Amino acid sequence: MALNTSAETPLPVGEVSRLIGGWIDRLGAVWVEGQITQLSRRPGAGVVFLTLRDPSYDISVSVTCYRQVFDAVADVVTEGARVVVLAKPEWYAPRGQLSLRAAEIRPVGVGELLARLEQLKKALAAEGLFAPERKKPLPFLPQLVGLVCGRASAAERDVLENARHRWPAVRFEVRNVAVQGVHAVPQVVQAVKELDELGDVDVIIVARGGGSVEDLLPFSDEQLVRAVAACRTPVVSAIGHEPDTPLLDYVADLRASTPTDAAKKVVPDVGEEYERVQQLRHRARRCVEALVEREERGLAHALARPSIEDPHRMIDERADHVASLVERSRRTVGHLLDRADSELTHTHARVVALSPAATLKRGYAVLQKAGGHVVRDPGEVTADEPLRARVSEGEFSVRVDAEPMHRVGE
């Protein structure tokens, strides 16, 4: 429960320590799992002192137990071992220190560890952290490779030597960390995050040599798996040997069977690439030569065609045909014109024969009144009416006689 205190009514340190001890006493006994980082067994002492640490976080707590409690598991429990402890939290008021009083210690066996890892694997897979679509492709030629490995380890030597032998220009950004023990997980996680934040790093390799199941447990830690899943940079897992499969292998973008295999998969071989370039150049040259030869054959075939070999031949043939058609057209038009001329001459003769002028030339005359009206009937004129007579060679004036007029046939 919260205490009512203020700057004017503070609690003494002893009272605060006593209250904390009371709250901790009410917690009761609990089962705690962790990894033993320090073990002190003084000869003749009846109490054994341990430090129990969380492998995933930088948190530890002191544990004490009677010698007979520890002697029951002394043959199988050493520093670095994982244990499950039934302990009662205790508060040492004079120093303000929390510790656990262990009543029972049980080592965590390999079978139990593997069962827990399988459960964790299923849980992480259900979240989609191992999904293939999350895998990022590795760059073809990385300029800077991040390497997380143990200091002066065989894994570091294998990766560096094989990579530089394959591609001498490759550069490395190395982070040396603990690869087993209680400090492995936080150091590896921190190194991966640092390399991921470097913009120049193209790919990250996490490498470690072989070891027992317990030695490789840090690379199956949930915190490390989630850190790798959150990386923007492709991560290659190269842990142990071929049979070893920590959870890091499933979340990494590429799994390498060994550190040497990681170097081969991340960095191309300069000799192989040079040979591949030469092969591609030869192949390209052959393709171009085949294309040129095919086009040359096509061009020669086209030049051998009559239309290309003697291009004027067709024009000459067509010219003769056109000349024949022109001559034929001229003859046809000439015949048409001659016939039309004959018909025109005949028609002209008929028109001339039937024209009033021809009639006048035969001695006839046309009488017209003063207004130009042609006289056709004697009844149209009166006595002494002046008329104009039109003959073949001209015209003259006449006057109507006073005698009675008669029509033709009366």
Side-chain angles (χ1 to χ4, degrees), residues 216-253:
L216 300 182
L217 281 178
F219 299 96
S220 294
D221 188 86
E222 181 178 0
Q223 184 183 0
L224 177 58
V225 171
R226 295 189 181 278
V228 171
C231 284
R232 296 170 298 177
T233 309
V235 177
V236 176
S237 174
I239 306 301
H241 303 296
E242 180 65 33
D244 300 322
T245 54
L247 297 186
L248 180 62
D249 287 351
Y250 297 97
V251 73
D253 299 292

Side-chain angles (χ1 to χ4, degrees), residues 108-349:
V108 178
V110 175
E112 186 176 356
L113 289 176
L114 294 177
R116 293 182 184 180
L117 289 180
E118 187 63 26
Q119 293 177 354
L120 179 59
K121 174 183 174 182
K122 292 180 179 180
L124 296 176
E127 294 183 24
L129 297 186
F130 304 156
E133 55 269 18
R134 290 178 55 92
K135 308 295 184 183
K136 296 178 284 294
L138 270 62
F140 167 71
L141 181 58
Q143 301 299 314
L144 182 62
V145 179
L147 177 60
V148 180
C149 59
R151 185 180 302 278
S153 61
E156 179 181 7
R157 183 179 63 256
D158 290 344
V159 172
L160 295 181
E161 290 182 356
N162 283 277
R164 287 168 179 163
H165 176 73
R166 293 172 62 84
W167 198 273
V170 67
R171 296 180 296 115
F172 279 89
E173 185 71 24
V174 181
R175 293 291 186 274
N176 293 123
V177 297
V179 292
Q180 69 182 57
V182 294
H183 301 290
V185 173
Q187 290 186 13
V188 174
V189 170
Q190 181 64 26
V192 169
K193 290 182 177 179
E194 289 180 1
L195 293 174
D196 186 48
E197 292 174 356
L198 295 178
D200 296 338
V201 175
D202 299 316
V203 61
I204 300 172
I205 300 176
V206 181
R208 186 202 189 283
S212 64
V213 175
E214 294 85 348
D215 293 338
L216 300 182
L217 281 178
F219 299 96
S220 294
D221 188 86
E222 181 178 0
Q223 184 183 0
L224 177 58
V225 171
R226 295 189 181 278
V228 171
C231 284
R232 296 170 298 177
T233 309
V235 177
V236 176
S237 174
I239 306 301
H241 303 296
E242 180 65 33
D244 300 322
T245 54
L247 297 186
L248 180 62
D249 287 351
Y250 297 97
V251 73
D253 299 292
L254 179 68
R255 176 188 180 270
S257 58
T258 62
T260 301
D261 184 50
K264 294 180 179 180
K265 290 183 176 179
V266 170
V267 180
D269 184 84
V270 63
E272 294 177 358
E273 297 305 319
Y274 178 78
E275 182 64 25
R276 186 176 291 110
V277 170
Q278 291 297 106
Q279 293 176 359
L280 292 175
R281 290 180 60 185
H282 295 328
R283 181 179 177 184
R285 183 180 294 108
R286 290 194 300 269
C287 291
V288 172
E289 290 175 351
L291 178 62
V292 172
E293 291 176 357
R294 184 181 63 188
E295 296 301 323
E296 287 180 346
R297 290 193 299 269
L299 182 59
H301 179 71
L303 292 176
R305 298 180 62 183
S307 59
I308 302 299
E309 188 175 14
D310 186 8
H312 296 286
R313 179 181 177 182
M314 183 180 296
I315 297 176
D316 295 339
E317 293 177 354
R318 295 298 179 184
D320 295 341
H321 183 61
V322 170
S324 175
L325 292 177
V326 170
E327 183 61 28
R328 181 179 177 185
S329 300
R330 285 176 178 174
R331 290 196 302 270
T332 301
V333 173
H335 293 327
L336 292 176
L337 290 176
D338 292 344
R339 187 173 63 182
D341 182 65
S342 176
E343 291 179 356
L344 182 59
T345 301
H346 180 68
T347 302
H348 181 266

